[in-house]
Amino acid sequence: MTTPYRCPSCKTNRTRFNIIQQVPQSVKLDPASGEIVQNYEQNQLEPFHLAYNGPQLKVQCAACGLVEDEMTFKKFGESTMS
Ligand SMILES: [Zn+2]
């Protein structure tokens, strides 16, 4: 079952969205240059390196440009159903 989206900013858009897949890249940087010195696999992070725990999807309203977590659009879509 799917949930309708609705933009909480412009409030009118329910149909046009850009869905943004979050693809985390875990890296270790050189502190001075900012260069990547190591890329980690998600299951091979070092003890003090937290794995990405943000949302899997972000959504952009294609009418007003707002970018939020998918849940924000879903909640607004649900709460205004009648
Ligand atoms: Zn909008």
Side-chain angles (χ1 to χ4, degrees):
M1 182 161 159
T2 57
T3 310
Y5 286 178
R6 187 181 184 195
C7 175
S9 177
C10 65
K11 297 186 170 59
T12 52
N13 179 29
R14 295 168 182 266
T15 54
R16 290 172 213 279
F17 300 96
N18 299 314
I19 293 175
I20 308 152
Q21 304 276 352
Q22 305 287 96
V23 183
Q25 181 187 4
S26 296
V27 297
K28 188 177 212 172
L29 301 182
D30 181 293
S33 70
E35 266 182 78
I36 294 174
V37 293
Q38 190 170 352
N39 268 296
Y40 298 102
E41 298 295 327
Q42 288 307 301
N43 55 4
Q44 289 174 342
L45 292 172
E46 290 177 351
F48 295 106
H49 194 127
L50 290 176
Y52 176 71
N53 62 359
Q56 286 215 298
L57 292 181
K58 289 271 200 181
V59 175
Q60 180 175 41
C61 171
C64 74
L66 178 77
V67 179
E68 285 290 345
D69 292 353
E70 184 192 30
M71 194 49 63
T72 305
F73 286 87
K74 282 186 167 177
K75 273 191 193 139
F76 202 72
E78 268 177 343
S79 67
T80 52
M81 289 288 284
S82 57

